Amino acid sequence: MSARILDGEAFAARIHGETSARVARCQQRGVTPGLVFIRVGEDPASRAYVSRKEKRAQEVGIASRTLVLPESTPLNTLLKEIDALNADPKVHGILIQSPLPTTLPNDVVYARVSPAKDVDGFHPVNFGKLLLGDPSGFLPCTPAGILEILRLGEIPTAGKHAVVVGRGQIVGRPLALLLARKAPGTDCTVTLAHSRTTNLAALTRQADILVGALGRPHFLKPEHVKPGATVVDVGVNRVNDPANPRGYRLVGDVDFDSVKTVAGAITPNPGGVGPMTIALLLSNTVRAAEDLSR
Ligand code: NAP
């Protein structure tokens, strides 16, 4: 038996279609949603991520551009750039691409973005709203994209046991909170596992929905998976591959080929969570434009 594939590219295309239609409605009111990416330094992976997101944004009609700053940018200069974008009425969303150079404190930088333009959902105000269940905040894009995968993939969630492996700030922790919400499409009983969890496989084998968000290549194997479970692979891990022109390839946290023979449904990687993260980012940007131009 082979698991049903939860095709993130196809789901993302549906969301992009809705986003394009919303952009067109904004434009009828004289507003073009605007998104600015800030990239500090020349990390090759960050360059690739930002250019992919910028291209997608343009495809749905969002005016997007990237502000590139040198690796040596002082904190004050970066904060001034963020202040200018916060004040610019043509800019509705601001995304600061991680990782930032180690000289720049993440918490100070992310907290400087106006919560109304924080389409990544990383600002403490938006994180607090997530915790309170206040829908006026922006949800972080990867966890929100995973909820959409479950919804569009018609995976039942209410009363189901979700095990999230990884308690990172941008995926595992917010996702666990969202899955436990008292709301349609969630209502799970949630276990949040991490590197200090004991007997991990015994826990993950109880999961109806198993999410790998730990950043360890091909870590989750068939022995971690209950037959018929839904498996979501968030990880993006670089592994050496001399046969690849880049010298490496990207793999997920789930050993897809073996796990798909046990799972009931599974996200491919690439082609699962990644495209949905971008789809939710663009959808958040249009919502910011709708809210700010009301
Ligand atoms: P992170 O902040 O480094 O968190 C990793 C988490 O995994 C930590 O909670 C860590 O536990 C846990 N962990 C590490 N090794 C473990 C093990 N052997 N057993 C159980 N738990 C373990 O990482 P992140 O930012 O959340 O990202 C996680 C992965 O998702 C990365 O591969 C990242 O590239 C990927 N990602 C993908 C997308 C996308 O759009 N597809 C978006 C964001 C991130 P401790 O807390 O105990 O250290």
Side-chain angles (χ1 to χ4, degrees):
M1 199 190 78
S2 194
R4 179 161 65 93
I5 302 298
L6 298 169
D7 183 349
E9 293 284 3
F11 295 154
R14 281 163 70 174
I15 296 175
H16 288 313
E18 291 161 16
T19 303
S20 296
R22 287 164 61 203
V23 170
R25 284 198 291 277
C26 283
Q27 282 171 333
Q28 280 162 8
R29 294 190 291 114
V31 176
T32 297
L35 173 60
V36 176
F37 300 93
I38 301 181
R39 174 163 63 74
V40 185
E42 295 298 330
D43 173 54
S46 294
R47 286 174 63 157
Y49 288 143
V50 169
S51 74
R52 199 176 314 148
K53 288 186 259 198
E54 200 182 325
K55 185 168 161 276
R56 276 273 182 245
Q58 285 162 1
E59 280 167 6
V60 298
I62 292 173
S64 71
R65 64 185 166 90
T66 302
L67 178 62
V68 181
L69 299 171
E71 181 94 19
S72 58
T73 301
L75 177 62
N76 263 346
T77 306
L78 175 58
L79 296 181
K80 276 188 195 147
E81 294 286 0
I82 296 171
D83 289 345
L85 295 171
N86 282 340
D88 184 341
K90 290 203 165 110
V91 176
H92 305 99
I94 301 168
L95 184 145
I96 298 159
Q97 181 63 41
S98 66
L100 285 172
T102 47
T103 46
L104 297 170
N106 278 301
D107 48 350
V108 175
V109 173
Y110 287 112
R112 191 68 162 229
V113 175
S114 161
K117 298 189 178 186
D118 170 43
V119 288
D120 237 353
F122 291 167
H123 192 283
V125 164
N126 285 319
F127 205 85
K129 286 183 176 181
L130 182 161
L131 199 59
L132 295 168
D134 177 344
S136 71
F138 288 110
L139 295 179
C141 304
T142 303
I146 293 168
L147 293 192
E148 285 295 277
I149 288 174
L150 299 177
R151 183 178 72 84
L152 295 167
E154 299 178 354
I155 304 295
T157 56
K160 301 297 180 189
H161 185 190
V163 176
V164 179
V165 186
R167 58 180 162 185
Q169 203 169 320
I170 57 174
V171 191
R173 217 175 322 155
L175 177 64
L177 289 165
L178 287 169
L179 286 167
R181 264 185 178 182
K182 188 171 179 147
T186 51
D187 277 322
C188 291
T189 304
V190 178
T191 300
L192 182 55
H194 47 77
S195 68
R196 307 296 296 271
T197 299
T198 52
N199 285 333
L200 182 71
L203 266 179
T204 58
R205 275 200 304 272
Q206 294 171 34
D208 302 302
I209 298 168
L210 174 60
V211 181
L214 66 160
R216 298 282 178 270
H218 289 172
F219 182 92
L220 295 173
K221 308 273 189 202
E223 59 267 30
H224 292 97
V225 180
K226 176 163 90 170
T230 297
V231 178
V232 176
D233 187 2
V234 184
V236 179
N237 307 293
R238 200 180 268 215
V239 293
N240 289 337
D241 182 358
N244 191 302
R246 292 182 299 192
Y248 67 88
R249 68 199 154 88
L250 298 176
V251 303
D253 289 346
V254 175
D255 190 13
F256 180 85
D257 288 338
S258 59
V259 168
K260 75 170 190 236
T261 64
V262 182
I266 188 167
T267 60
N269 190 343
V273 174
M276 290 299 277
T277 298
I278 299 177
L280 270 289
L281 167 71
L282 303 184
S283 164
N284 274 353
T285 302
V286 177
R287 212 193 92 203
E290 290 162 350
D291 291 351
L292 288 164
S293 62
R294 233 181 266 274

